[in-house]
Amino acid sequence: NAGVTQTPKFRVLKTGQSMTLLCAQDMNHEYMYWYRQDPGMGLRLIHYSVGEGTTAKGEVPDGYNVSRLKKQNFLLGLESAAPSQTSVYFCASSYSPSYSGRYDADTQYFGPGTRLTVL
Amino acid sequence: SQQGEEDPQALSIQEGENATMNCSYKTSINNLQWYRQNSGRGLVHLILIRSNEREKHSGRLRVTLDTSKKSSSLLITASRAADTASYFCATGAGGFKTIFGAGTRLFVKA
């Protein structure tokens, strides 16, 4: 089991450029998430998905788009990168929430992160 | 807005000492989780405690939860240099409703 993987690990963009971050999980999880982590601010949820073909906005969705065409993949897109999007991006996945009856349903499994710099 | 707030923001101790970190939150929760993040890595789940539980143990970790005070603590006993990391509490009703705090940075000196 590879768990949650992210590509790329590092990327430098110029303002206005676009890119896509790829997240893949092999645990058959329903839920997937994209977070950004900035110094002193913990993790902030960008977008999430509760299943294949569905996505929803999180706390800080502006400037990002996502797609979940396959259950195991969750893509995060930046259409026109801005310096304010310089951050470390983490993908995570989990089972459905606790009401599913699983004790560990809420545990999130994280990828290693992508460090993005926008100049 | 952040649900969980860790205290202290940073903690430096000697190897062998115990480390205690606290988390306070604002609204009702189903569970509270603690995660560890080593520098430059993703978060790793440590322990989950349900709202109807008061204490849980896992190896050298002890977590308590006081729902009346809306607070939790993470105790790491007999700390090691390898415990140096940031520790985050995560609260909420599960799934996308899980909210992470800003973390406590722990430094264990050998």
Side-chain angles (χ1 to χ4, degrees):
Chain A
N1 271 357
V4 180
T5 58
Q6 291 182 232
T7 53
K9 290 185 169 56
F10 304 94
R11 186 72 185 268
V12 177
L13 292 178
K14 294 180 179 179
T15 297
Q17 287 185 319
S18 63
M19 76 164 294
T20 300
L21 283 67
L22 171 64
C23 175
Q25 54 93 6
D26 60 3
M27 295 173 282
N28 202 34
H29 284 164
E30 289 293 334
Y31 276 48
M32 296 187 75
Y33 318 82
W34 275 108
Y35 294 93
R36 61 177 288 172
Q37 185 178 35
D38 301 294
M41 298 192 73
L43 293 171
R44 290 185 293 171
L45 184 63
I46 304 171
H47 285 280
Y48 64 95
S49 169
V50 302
E52 182 178 319
T54 70
T55 64
K57 295 179 180 180
E59 181 186 357
V60 288
D62 294 343
Y64 305 95
N65 56 76
V66 288
S67 64
R68 183 117 180 251
L69 299 179
K70 293 182 179 181
K71 186 176 183 178
Q72 62 268 34
N73 295 336
F74 195 28
L75 279 65
L76 177 70
L78 285 75
E79 291 185 346
S80 179
S84 61
Q85 294 178 304
T86 293
S87 187
V88 182
Y89 292 86
F90 289 99
C91 175
S93 69
S94 73
Y95 291 104
S96 298
S98 53
Y99 60 72
S100 72
R102 288 189 62 103
Y103 185 85
D104 64 344
D106 297 334
T107 298
Q108 295 190 22
Y109 296 82
F110 283 81
T114 295
R115 186 174 295 275
L116 175 66
T117 301
V118 183
L119 303 175
Chain B
S1 60
Q2 290 179 345
Q3 163 81 309
E5 294 185 3
E6 291 92 342
D7 171 61
Q9 290 185 330
L11 180 61
S12 181
I13 60 174
Q14 291 290 138
E15 203 167 32
E17 292 180 340
N18 295 342
T20 300
M21 289 158 268
N22 303 297
C23 172
S24 59
Y25 58 92
K26 298 173 183 174
T27 62
S28 297
I29 59 171
N30 286 354
N31 62 66
L32 186 144
Q33 303 174 58
W34 287 91
Y35 289 79
R36 183 187 73 228
Q37 183 181 33
N38 290 93
S39 181
R41 303 283 188 89
L43 276 70
V44 174
H45 182 259
L46 294 176
I47 197 165
L48 180 153
I49 186 167
R50 293 277 191 210
S51 58
N52 60 355
E53 297 174 312
R54 291 296 168 258
E55 186 171 315
K56 278 194 79 173
H57 296 257
S58 178
R60 293 184 296 113
L61 305 180
R62 173 177 170 256
V63 170
T64 61
L65 178 64
D66 187 336
T67 53
S68 66
K69 295 181 179 178
K70 292 188 169 56
S71 67
S72 173
S73 67
L74 170 67
L75 169 67
I76 304 174
T77 60
S79 63
R80 305 166 181 167
D83 294 329
T84 294
S86 292
Y87 292 82
F88 296 85
C89 71
T91 59
F96 55 86
K97 298 178 184 176
T98 299
I99 301 175
F100 290 82
T104 291
R105 286 179 296 153
L106 173 65
F107 182 65
V108 181
K109 293 176 280 187

